[in-house]
Amino acid sequence: MKKKVLLMGKSGSGKTSMRSIIFANYIARDTRRLGATIDVEHSHVRFLGNLVLNLWDCGGQEAFMENYFASQRDNIFRNVEVLIYVFDVESRELDKDMHYYQSCLEAILQYSPEARVFCLVHKMDLVQEDQRDMIFHERETDLKRLSKPLECTCFRTSIWDETLYRAWSSIVYMLIPNVKELEQSLNQFAGIIDADEILLFEKETFLVISHCQRRPHRDMHRFEKVSNIIKQFKLSCSKLAAQFQSMEVRNSNFAAFIDFFTTTTYVMVIMSDPTIPSAATLINIRNAKKHFEKLERVSQSQGVGLK
């Protein structure tokens, strides 16, 4: 199952850096050596087994952008599932950025009117912290107005913190056809073992693809933070020729278990009941694997869902 994803925006906006961090295991500081994208770079990112993101990273130099809307218009904008448009928050050519964005929307309306549209207001780390909310909300309001009649979802992002993972997790979540069935199974699992929360991560990117929550938590950004931390730890392990398999973190308030789950996922289970021993939770995770692997196999045989 292939999903065509267009990644667009002006040259230097940070498209290739974010793609390299999420899908090619770069760390933020290593992206400084990446060059500008020439024309269109195609990559097929296998995600959740047989779900393939057909990612088109489109170079943002003016000559290329004009070409996309003219001679390549049909090729670029036909059969698009998702348009991700990246804006450099510090761009000095905002009017031109908006003009190109509107040109993209016109082409999407013509060739792929059912496509989902996401706008990433990127490099937010360069904005003073006390100004970030105001600037983002101003951009978001303008982009939603310009996008009509299409709906756009906006995210603030930076390669230097967890916001990048939040945006891409949300985007990929919308591409998973049987996500409700997956979440229903997670809720049943959490109820059986009395877990506070369970998260499901895609194995390679460590993006959160599904979760269930049974007790409130004050940190609404915890999923992305965990993704970022574990991905970095996993990369550190690989540099030492070690294989990351599982982890347990425990203090006086909770225990967190991260373990290899199905062939395409890792699972994180949060427990706050101190009377439940670690061994019992680990056995429950192992037993649950069978159900979730069966769910994957059924989805594969039907040609939909977690492939």
Side-chain angles (χ1 to χ4, degrees):
M1 178 185 294
K2 287 187 179 180
K3 305 275 189 177
K4 182 177 178 180
V5 179
L6 286 188
L7 183 59
M8 304 194 78
K10 287 289 296 298
S11 180
S13 60
K15 303 183 297 298
T16 302
S17 293
M18 65 171 64
R19 173 172 66 88
S20 299
I21 288 172
I22 297 294
F23 297 110
N25 291 333
Y26 275 64
I27 58 176
R29 65 172 179 269
D30 288 346
T31 62
R32 292 168 176 163
R33 56 188 170 87
L34 292 170
T37 301
I38 304 301
D39 202 9
V40 181
E41 286 189 7
H42 299 271
S43 55
H44 291 78
V45 183
R46 188 167 296 279
F47 204 90
L48 292 174
N50 292 332
L51 174 61
V52 177
L53 300 189
N54 184 11
L55 195 59
W56 294 40
D57 184 355
C58 302
Q61 294 91 331
E62 285 191 34
F64 296 142
M65 294 290 273
E66 296 293 346
N67 202 29
Y68 302 150
F69 305 129
S71 61
Q72 293 191 62
R73 189 180 181 91
D74 179 273
N75 180 47
I76 295 287
F77 293 100
R78 189 173 294 281
N79 299 320
V80 175
E81 290 274 346
V82 172
L83 167 66
I84 303 170
Y85 202 97
V86 182
F87 292 90
D88 180 348
V89 71
E90 292 220 312
S91 172
R92 299 183 183 277
E93 297 182 311
L94 185 57
D95 288 343
K96 185 177 286 187
D97 295 345
M98 293 297 189
H99 167 71
Y100 282 132
Y101 173 59
Q102 284 187 296
S103 297
C104 282
L105 293 180
E106 289 169 6
I108 286 291
L109 274 170
Q110 181 181 0
Y111 291 103
S112 303
E114 301 301 316
R116 295 186 175 100
V117 178
F118 298 90
C119 294
L120 307 188
V121 182
H122 195 47
K123 303 185 182 180
M124 288 296 291
D125 56 285
L126 300 178
V127 178
Q128 283 187 321
E129 193 167 351
D130 61 350
Q131 298 290 310
R132 289 175 189 172
D133 286 346
M134 180 191 71
I135 288 175
F136 173 73
H137 289 307
E138 285 178 355
R139 295 288 173 87
E140 182 180 39
T141 300
D142 288 343
L143 289 167
K144 285 182 177 291
R145 176 177 53 81
L146 287 171
S147 299
K148 291 180 179 178
L150 292 169
E151 294 289 330
C152 82
T153 304
C154 300
F155 295 96
R156 67 185 85 188
T157 53
S158 166
I159 64 171
W160 299 100
D161 61 28
E162 71 280 355
T163 55
L164 189 64
Y165 283 88
R166 178 171 181 260
W168 279 90
S169 287
S170 299
I171 292 167
V172 170
Y173 176 89
M174 294 186 181
L175 295 175
I176 301 171
N178 70 334
V179 71
K180 296 303 180 186
E181 185 179 354
L182 192 58
E183 288 180 342
Q184 184 180 10
S185 292
L186 283 180
N187 274 298
Q188 291 172 348
F189 179 34
I192 290 168
I193 67 173
D194 195 26
D196 293 23
E197 197 161 47
I198 300 180
L199 280 69
L200 207 59
F201 301 94
E202 198 279 326
K203 183 180 71 171
E204 300 300 332
T205 62
F206 252 85
L207 295 175
V208 176
I209 55 169
S210 187
H211 77 280
C212 74
Q213 178 183 347
R214 298 178 67 243
R215 292 179 179 85
H217 197 288
R218 65 179 182 273
D219 188 353
M220 62 183 294
H221 301 298
R222 63 196 180 281
F223 300 161
E224 309 82 76
K225 291 176 181 177
V226 170
S227 286
N228 198 10
I229 291 168
I230 300 301
K231 179 81 174 284
Q232 300 307 316
F233 181 74
K234 187 168 174 273
L235 292 175
S236 298
C237 289
S238 64
K239 289 179 180 179
L240 297 172
Q243 185 72 35
F244 175 73
Q245 181 73 27
S246 62
M247 175 189 295
E248 178 181 345
V249 179
R250 180 181 289 274
N251 62 22
S252 58
N253 298 315
F254 72 92
F257 303 85
I258 301 174
D259 205 352
F260 186 68
F261 202 44
T262 69
T263 55
T264 60
T265 61
Y266 277 83
V267 69
M268 180 175 183
V269 177
I270 308 296
M271 309 285 292
S272 61
D273 186 344
T275 65
I276 300 176
S278 297
T281 300
L282 292 171
I283 289 171
N284 285 328
I285 291 173
R286 279 199 299 274
N287 289 334
K289 286 181 183 181
K290 300 169 186 175
H291 169 76
F292 284 89
E293 285 171 348
K294 182 180 178 181
L295 184 63
E296 284 191 2
R297 288 195 298 271
V298 169
S299 296
Q300 287 178 8
S301 66
Q302 293 174 344
V304 297
L306 283 174
K307 290 189 171 183

